[in-house]
Amino acid sequence: MKTYLPFVAFIIVIGITGCKKEPGEVQGVVMQKIYDNDFKYLQRVQPASDADVFLSEAGTLAVVDRAHSSYNGLYSFTDVKDGSYVVFVYSDDTSKVDGSVAVSSAQFEVKAGKIVNVDTLYTFKGIGLEKGNATICGKIWLINYKKNGYEIKDISLAQEVDVYLIYGDHKSYDIRTRTNYDGTFCFSNLIKGNYVVYVYSEAEDAFGNLTGATQKVAHKKYITISDDKQEVFVTDTIKTF
């Protein structure tokens, strides 16, 4: 008597193998917007390399996996089960209330064997004003007056004179330097943004004569750095007795 059991078992194994579901995959990109520390002037947008990216369940927000973005901001999660998920990363808090905040994607669904492309996530980072490549340099001349305040004694290079730099709408100066022996000065490694460079000079009347007032006046130069490698050169003349 013949038996067909081995053949039936073979058919069952093939059927089970053929019905096995492949897990889903999630992928996307993280970009980083670099601002000044006030988060007012955008410096550049670049891929967020080596960022921690989290995959969590949409309902409970329980983290189920973590990935690291590559040099170009790309990340991926494999072997993801069917379900509803969100992806999030941590970013600097632009309101500066907290040190960092979570930036999350919209909710999405993962199905077996499907690849989900998540919309680009943007993180934010603030940097100091000396984290750039721009420069503001200049030269200052000094007019020396006689005690009467209107006769010029001589004109020379302004040596060892304090020069101040203000960034944005800051109320006081951010950097102070001094002129060299030849009257020159330089502020280097500046980020993009609006600046005020100023020096102090003796007060003058409407005719340009020195008044001898105790309080000096600030000679200001308003400068906008709009390119990361911009070089600006300014000149000024200050007066003294």
Side-chain angles (χ1 to χ4, degrees), residues 24-50:
E25 183 176 345
V26 176
Q27 61 186 25
V29 179
V30 183
M31 299 294 290
Q32 189 173 59
K33 293 185 177 182
I34 307 296
Y35 281 83
D36 57 39
N37 275 333
D38 300 325
F39 291 101
K40 292 183 177 180
Y41 205 110
L42 179 64
Q43 303 297 313
R44 59 187 178 275
V45 180
Q46 63 188 28
S49 61
D50 200 31

PDB file of all heavy atoms in Angstrom, residues 24-50:
ATOM      1  N   GLY A  24       8.838  45.972   6.864  1.00  0.00           N
ATOM      2  CA  GLY A  24       8.924  47.239   6.149  1.00  0.00           C
ATOM      3  C   GLY A  24      10.227  47.972   6.433  1.00  0.00           C
ATOM      4  O   GLY A  24      11.041  47.551   7.260  1.00  0.00           O
ATOM      5  N   GLU A  25      10.419  49.085   5.736  1.00  0.00           N
ATOM      6  CA  GLU A  25      11.624  49.902   5.906  1.00  0.00           C
ATOM      7  C   GLU A  25      11.230  51.372   5.925  1.00  0.00           C
ATOM      8  O   GLU A  25      10.319  51.797   5.208  1.00  0.00           O
ATOM      9  CB  GLU A  25      12.612  49.633   4.775  1.00  0.00           C
ATOM     10  CG  GLU A  25      13.927  50.381   4.916  1.00  0.00           C
ATOM     11  CD  GLU A  25      14.925  50.024   3.826  1.00  0.00           C
ATOM     12  OE1 GLU A  25      14.716  49.007   3.138  1.00  0.00           O
ATOM     13  OE2 GLU A  25      15.903  50.786   3.663  1.00  0.00           O
ATOM     14  N   VAL A  26      11.930  52.151   6.754  1.00  0.00           N
ATOM     15  CA  VAL A  26      11.683  53.590   6.874  1.00  0.00           C
ATOM     16  C   VAL A  26      12.989  54.318   6.602  1.00  0.00           C
ATOM     17  O   VAL A  26      14.039  53.951   7.144  1.00  0.00           O
ATOM     18  CB  VAL A  26      11.166  53.951   8.285  1.00  0.00           C
ATOM     19  CG1 VAL A  26      11.009  55.465   8.427  1.00  0.00           C
ATOM     20  CG2 VAL A  26       9.850  53.245   8.573  1.00  0.00           C
ATOM     21  N   GLN A  27      12.939  55.341   5.770  1.00  0.00           N
ATOM     22  CA  GLN A  27      14.151  56.095   5.467  1.00  0.00           C
ATOM     23  C   GLN A  27      13.827  57.573   5.281  1.00  0.00           C
ATOM     24  O   GLN A  27      12.688  57.952   5.019  1.00  0.00           O
ATOM     25  CB  GLN A  27      14.831  55.547   4.211  1.00  0.00           C
ATOM     26  CG  GLN A  27      13.982  55.612   2.953  1.00  0.00           C
ATOM     27  CD  GLN A  27      14.652  54.922   1.777  1.00  0.00           C
ATOM     28  OE1 GLN A  27      15.488  54.036   1.942  1.00  0.00           O
ATOM     29  NE2 GLN A  27      14.293  55.329   0.569  1.00  0.00           N
ATOM     30  N   GLY A  28      14.850  58.403   5.437  1.00  0.00           N
ATOM     31  CA  GLY A  28      14.651  59.842   5.301  1.00  0.00           C
ATOM     32  C   GLY A  28      15.958  60.600   5.436  1.00  0.00           C
ATOM     33  O   GLY A  28      17.044  60.015   5.458  1.00  0.00           O
ATOM     34  N   VAL A  29      15.847  61.922   5.538  1.00  0.00           N
ATOM     35  CA  VAL A  29      17.010  62.808   5.614  1.00  0.00           C
ATOM     36  C   VAL A  29      16.803  63.806   6.746  1.00  0.00           C
ATOM     37  O   VAL A  29      15.691  64.306   6.948  1.00  0.00           O
ATOM     38  CB  VAL A  29      17.223  63.582   4.292  1.00  0.00           C
ATOM     39  CG1 VAL A  29      18.416  64.525   4.398  1.00  0.00           C
ATOM     40  CG2 VAL A  29      17.410  62.617   3.136  1.00  0.00           C
ATOM     41  N   VAL A  30      17.889  64.100   7.469  1.00  0.00           N
ATOM     42  CA  VAL A  30      17.876  65.147   8.488  1.00  0.00           C
ATOM     43  C   VAL A  30      18.802  66.267   8.029  1.00  0.00           C
ATOM     44  O   VAL A  30      19.978  66.035   7.727  1.00  0.00           O
ATOM     45  CB  VAL A  30      18.338  64.626   9.865  1.00  0.00           C
ATOM     46  CG1 VAL A  30      18.245  65.746  10.907  1.00  0.00           C
ATOM     47  CG2 VAL A  30      17.516  63.434  10.299  1.00  0.00           C
ATOM     48  N   MET A  31      18.267  67.488   7.957  1.00  0.00           N
ATOM     49  CA  MET A  31      19.055  68.667   7.613  1.00  0.00           C
ATOM     50  C   MET A  31      19.158  69.577   8.831  1.00  0.00           C
ATOM     51  O   MET A  31      18.309  69.535   9.725  1.00  0.00           O
ATOM     52  CB  MET A  31      18.414  69.418   6.448  1.00  0.00           C
ATOM     53  CG  MET A  31      18.299  68.610   5.166  1.00  0.00           C
ATOM     54  SD  MET A  31      19.907  68.188   4.441  1.00  0.00           S
ATOM     55  CE  MET A  31      20.446  69.810   3.874  1.00  0.00           C
ATOM     56  N   GLN A  32      20.197  70.388   8.842  1.00  0.00           N
ATOM     57  CA  GLN A  32      20.437  71.270   9.983  1.00  0.00           C
ATOM     58  C   GLN A  32      20.522  72.721   9.514  1.00  0.00           C
ATOM     59  O   GLN A  32      21.289  73.047   8.608  1.00  0.00           O
ATOM     60  CB  GLN A  32      21.741  70.879  10.684  1.00  0.00           C
ATOM     61  CG  GLN A  32      21.976  71.576  12.006  1.00  0.00           C
ATOM     62  CD  GLN A  32      23.196  71.019  12.714  1.00  0.00           C
ATOM     63  OE1 GLN A  32      24.303  71.054  12.183  1.00  0.00           O
ATOM     64  NE2 GLN A  32      23.003  70.495  13.911  1.00  0.00           N
ATOM     65  N   LYS A  33      19.709  73.584  10.136  1.00  0.00           N
ATOM     66  CA  LYS A  33      19.751  75.015   9.853  1.00  0.00           C
ATOM     67  C   LYS A  33      20.622  75.693  10.914  1.00  0.00           C
ATOM     68  O   LYS A  33      20.310  75.651  12.101  1.00  0.00           O
ATOM     69  CB  LYS A  33      18.344  75.611   9.861  1.00  0.00           C
ATOM     70  CG  LYS A  33      17.462  75.115   8.719  1.00  0.00           C
ATOM     71  CD  LYS A  33      16.115  75.823   8.706  1.00  0.00           C
ATOM     72  CE  LYS A  33      15.273  75.376   7.514  1.00  0.00           C
ATOM     73  NZ  LYS A  33      13.974  76.091   7.441  1.00  0.00           N
ATOM     74  N   ILE A  34      21.710  76.295  10.450  1.00  0.00           N
ATOM     75  CA  ILE A  34      22.655  76.949  11.349  1.00  0.00           C
ATOM     76  C   ILE A  34      22.321  78.435  11.433  1.00  0.00           C
ATOM     77  O   ILE A  34      22.273  79.131  10.411  1.00  0.00           O
ATOM     78  CB  ILE A  34      24.106  76.768  10.865  1.00  0.00           C
ATOM     79  CG1 ILE A  34      24.411  75.283  10.625  1.00  0.00           C
ATOM     80  CG2 ILE A  34      25.082  77.365  11.869  1.00  0.00           C
ATOM     81  CD1 ILE A  34      24.355  74.430  11.862  1.00  0.00           C
ATOM     82  N   TYR A  35      22.095  78.927  12.644  1.00  0.00           N
ATOM     83  CA  TYR A  35      21.790  80.339  12.893  1.00  0.00           C
ATOM     84  C   TYR A  35      22.846  80.941  13.823  1.00  0.00           C
ATOM     85  O   TYR A  35      23.703  80.237  14.356  1.00  0.00           O
ATOM     86  CB  TYR A  35      20.424  80.482  13.570  1.00  0.00           C
ATOM     87  CG  TYR A  35      19.240  80.377  12.640  1.00  0.00           C
ATOM     88  CD1 TYR A  35      18.736  79.139  12.259  1.00  0.00           C
ATOM     89  CD2 TYR A  35      18.608  81.515  12.142  1.00  0.00           C
ATOM     90  CE1 TYR A  35      17.642  79.037  11.410  1.00  0.00           C
ATOM     91  CE2 TYR A  35      17.511  81.424  11.300  1.00  0.00           C
ATOM     92  CZ  TYR A  35      17.034  80.184  10.938  1.00  0.00           C
ATOM     93  OH  TYR A  35      15.952  80.087  10.096  1.00  0.00           O
ATOM     94  N   ASP A  36      22.748  82.259  14.016  1.00  0.00           N
ATOM     95  CA  ASP A  36      23.508  82.868  15.100  1.00  0.00           C
ATOM     96  C   ASP A  36      22.870  82.443  16.423  1.00  0.00           C
ATOM     97  O   ASP A  36      21.809  81.820  16.444  1.00  0.00           O
ATOM     98  CB  ASP A  36      23.536  84.397  14.963  1.00  0.00           C
ATOM     99  CG  ASP A  36      22.137  85.005  14.912  1.00  0.00           C
ATOM    100  OD1 ASP A  36      21.248  84.541  15.651  1.00  0.00           O
ATOM    101  OD2 ASP A  36      21.924  85.946  14.139  1.00  0.00           O
ATOM    102  N   ASN A  37      23.504  82.785  17.523  1.00  0.00           N
ATOM    103  CA  ASN A  37      22.981  82.363  18.825  1.00  0.00           C
ATOM    104  C   ASN A  37      21.651  83.020  19.181  1.00  0.00           C
ATOM    105  O   ASN A  37      20.965  82.567  20.102  1.00  0.00           O
ATOM    106  CB  ASN A  37      24.005  82.650  19.925  1.00  0.00           C
ATOM    107  CG  ASN A  37      25.022  81.529  20.062  1.00  0.00           C
ATOM    108  OD1 ASN A  37      24.727  80.374  19.745  1.00  0.00           O
ATOM    109  ND2 ASN A  37      26.217  81.854  20.521  1.00  0.00           N
ATOM    110  N   ASP A  38      21.285  84.081  18.455  1.00  0.00           N
ATOM    111  CA  ASP A  38      19.985  84.723  18.670  1.00  0.00           C
ATOM    112  C   ASP A  38      18.894  84.094  17.808  1.00  0.00           C
ATOM    113  O   ASP A  38      17.724  84.466  17.927  1.00  0.00           O
ATOM    114  CB  ASP A  38      20.072  86.224  18.351  1.00  0.00           C
ATOM    115  CG  ASP A  38      21.089  86.942  19.221  1.00  0.00           C
ATOM    116  OD1 ASP A  38      21.231  86.557  20.399  1.00  0.00           O
ATOM    117  OD2 ASP A  38      21.743  87.877  18.723  1.00  0.00           O
ATOM    118  N   PHE A  39      19.282  83.190  16.914  1.00  0.00           N
ATOM    119  CA  PHE A  39      18.361  82.538  15.969  1.00  0.00           C
ATOM    120  C   PHE A  39      17.593  83.564  15.136  1.00  0.00           C
ATOM    121  O   PHE A  39      16.399  83.442  14.901  1.00  0.00           O
ATOM    122  CB  PHE A  39      17.389  81.611  16.704  1.00  0.00           C
ATOM    123  CG  PHE A  39      18.057  80.392  17.275  1.00  0.00           C
ATOM    124  CD1 PHE A  39      18.381  80.329  18.617  1.00  0.00           C
ATOM    125  CD2 PHE A  39      18.385  79.322  16.458  1.00  0.00           C
ATOM    126  CE1 PHE A  39      19.021  79.214  19.145  1.00  0.00           C
ATOM    127  CE2 PHE A  39      19.025  78.200  16.973  1.00  0.00           C
ATOM    128  CZ  PHE A  39      19.339  78.146  18.325  1.00  0.00           C
ATOM    129  N   LYS A  40      18.317  84.575  14.650  1.00  0.00           N
ATOM    130  CA  LYS A  40      17.706  85.609  13.818  1.00  0.00           C
ATOM    131  C   LYS A  40      18.282  85.643  12.405  1.00  0.00           C
ATOM    132  O   LYS A  40      17.605  86.051  11.471  1.00  0.00           O
ATOM    133  CB  LYS A  40      17.878  86.986  14.476  1.00  0.00           C
ATOM    134  CG  LYS A  40      17.080  87.155  15.765  1.00  0.00           C
ATOM    135  CD  LYS A  40      17.229  88.558  16.329  1.00  0.00           C
ATOM    136  CE  LYS A  40      16.375  88.741  17.578  1.00  0.00           C
ATOM    137  NZ  LYS A  40      16.513  90.102  18.151  1.00  0.00           N
ATOM    138  N   TYR A  41      19.543  85.246  12.243  1.00  0.00           N
ATOM    139  CA  TYR A  41      20.192  85.347  10.937  1.00  0.00           C
ATOM    140  C   TYR A  41      20.661  83.957  10.523  1.00  0.00           C
ATOM    141  O   TYR A  41      21.550  83.382  11.141  1.00  0.00           O
ATOM    142  CB  TYR A  41      21.381  86.310  11.003  1.00  0.00           C
ATOM    143  CG  TYR A  41      21.735  86.948   9.683  1.00  0.00           C
ATOM    144  CD1 TYR A  41      21.502  88.302   9.457  1.00  0.00           C
ATOM    145  CD2 TYR A  41      22.298  86.203   8.654  1.00  0.00           C
ATOM    146  CE1 TYR A  41      21.828  88.896   8.246  1.00  0.00           C
ATOM    147  CE2 TYR A  41      22.625  86.779   7.444  1.00  0.00           C
ATOM    148  CZ  TYR A  41      22.390  88.128   7.247  1.00  0.00           C
ATOM    149  OH  TYR A  41      22.710  88.710   6.042  1.00  0.00           O
ATOM    150  N   LEU A  42      20.038  83.430   9.457  1.00  0.00           N
ATOM    151  CA  LEU A  42      20.399  82.101   8.965  1.00  0.00           C
ATOM    152  C   LEU A  42      21.793  82.136   8.348  1.00  0.00           C
ATOM    153  O   LEU A  42      22.084  82.957   7.480  1.00  0.00           O
ATOM    154  CB  LEU A  42      19.376  81.632   7.926  1.00  0.00           C
ATOM    155  CG  LEU A  42      19.632  80.258   7.298  1.00  0.00           C
ATOM    156  CD1 LEU A  42      19.545  79.156   8.343  1.00  0.00           C
ATOM    157  CD2 LEU A  42      18.645  80.000   6.162  1.00  0.00           C
ATOM    158  N   GLN A  43      22.649  81.234   8.797  1.00  0.00           N
ATOM    159  CA  GLN A  43      24.011  81.162   8.288  1.00  0.00           C
ATOM    160  C   GLN A  43      24.118  80.215   7.092  1.00  0.00           C
ATOM    161  O   GLN A  43      24.645  80.566   6.049  1.00  0.00           O
ATOM    162  CB  GLN A  43      24.959  80.703   9.403  1.00  0.00           C
ATOM    163  CG  GLN A  43      24.934  81.580  10.647  1.00  0.00           C
ATOM    164  CD  GLN A  43      25.387  83.002  10.361  1.00  0.00           C
ATOM    165  OE1 GLN A  43      26.410  83.221   9.708  1.00  0.00           O
ATOM    166  NE2 GLN A  43      24.623  83.976  10.837  1.00  0.00           N
ATOM    167  N   ARG A  44      23.583  79.020   7.242  1.00  0.00           N
ATOM    168  CA  ARG A  44      23.642  78.024   6.171  1.00  0.00           C
ATOM    169  C   ARG A  44      22.738  76.850   6.538  1.00  0.00           C
ATOM    170  O   ARG A  44      22.319  76.711   7.689  1.00  0.00           O
ATOM    171  CB  ARG A  44      25.078  77.524   5.961  1.00  0.00           C
ATOM    172  CG  ARG A  44      25.697  76.875   7.196  1.00  0.00           C
ATOM    173  CD  ARG A  44      27.165  76.555   6.990  1.00  0.00           C
ATOM    174  NE  ARG A  44      27.778  75.972   8.184  1.00  0.00           N
ATOM    175  CZ  ARG A  44      28.279  76.691   9.184  1.00  0.00           C
ATOM    176  NH1 ARG A  44      28.238  78.014   9.125  1.00  0.00           N
ATOM    177  NH2 ARG A  44      28.819  76.091  10.237  1.00  0.00           N
ATOM    178  N   VAL A  45      22.453  76.024   5.534  1.00  0.00           N
ATOM    179  CA  VAL A  45      21.707  74.780   5.732  1.00  0.00           C
ATOM    180  C   VAL A  45      22.595  73.644   5.257  1.00  0.00           C
ATOM    181  O   VAL A  45      23.136  73.694   4.146  1.00  0.00           O
ATOM    182  CB  VAL A  45      20.375  74.785   4.950  1.00  0.00           C
ATOM    183  CG1 VAL A  45      19.623  73.479   5.185  1.00  0.00           C
ATOM    184  CG2 VAL A  45      19.514  75.973   5.364  1.00  0.00           C
ATOM    185  N   GLN A  46      22.755  72.633   6.092  1.00  0.00           N
ATOM    186  CA  GLN A  46      23.668  71.542   5.774  1.00  0.00           C
ATOM    187  C   GLN A  46      23.095  70.219   6.270  1.00  0.00           C
ATOM    188  O   GLN A  46      22.212  70.207   7.136  1.00  0.00           O
ATOM    189  CB  GLN A  46      25.029  71.792   6.436  1.00  0.00           C
ATOM    190  CG  GLN A  46      24.959  71.814   7.964  1.00  0.00           C
ATOM    191  CD  GLN A  46      26.262  72.246   8.607  1.00  0.00           C
ATOM    192  OE1 GLN A  46      27.041  72.998   8.019  1.00  0.00           O
ATOM    193  NE2 GLN A  46      26.519  71.760   9.814  1.00  0.00           N
ATOM    194  N   PRO A  47      23.572  69.093   5.727  1.00  0.00           N
ATOM    195  CA  PRO A  47      23.122  67.797   6.245  1.00  0.00           C
ATOM    196  C   PRO A  47      23.504  67.648   7.715  1.00  0.00           C
ATOM    197  O   PRO A  47      24.588  68.067   8.131  1.00  0.00           O
ATOM    198  CB  PRO A  47      23.874  66.786   5.369  1.00  0.00           C
ATOM    199  CG  PRO A  47      24.221  67.537   4.124  1.00  0.00           C
ATOM    200  CD  PRO A  47      24.469  68.946   4.559  1.00  0.00           C
ATOM    201  N   ALA A  48      22.611  67.075   8.493  1.00  0.00           N
ATOM    202  CA  ALA A  48      22.890  66.821   9.909  1.00  0.00           C
ATOM    203  C   ALA A  48      23.569  65.464  10.020  1.00  0.00           C
ATOM    204  O   ALA A  48      22.912  64.421  10.049  1.00  0.00           O
ATOM    205  CB  ALA A  48      21.606  66.859  10.720  1.00  0.00           C
ATOM    206  N   SER A  49      24.879  65.464  10.047  1.00  0.00           N
ATOM    207  CA  SER A  49      25.619  64.206  10.101  1.00  0.00           C
ATOM    208  C   SER A  49      25.687  63.677  11.531  1.00  0.00           C
ATOM    209  O   SER A  49      25.756  64.444  12.492  1.00  0.00           O
ATOM    210  CB  SER A  49      27.035  64.405   9.553  1.00  0.00           C
ATOM    211  OG  SER A  49      27.737  65.359  10.325  1.00  0.00           O
ATOM    212  N   ASP A  50      25.658  62.362  11.649  1.00  0.00           N
ATOM    213  CA  ASP A  50      25.789  61.663  12.931  1.00  0.00           C
ATOM    214  C   ASP A  50      24.748  62.118  13.957  1.00  0.00           C
ATOM    215  O   ASP A  50      25.030  62.206  15.150  1.00  0.00           O
ATOM    216  CB  ASP A  50      27.197  61.855  13.496  1.00  0.00           C
ATOM    217  CG  ASP A  50      27.542  60.792  14.537  1.00  0.00           C
ATOM    218  OD1 ASP A  50      27.030  59.663  14.415  1.00  0.00           O
ATOM    219  OD2 ASP A  50      28.297  61.097  15.479  1.00  0.00           O
TER     220      ASP A  50
END
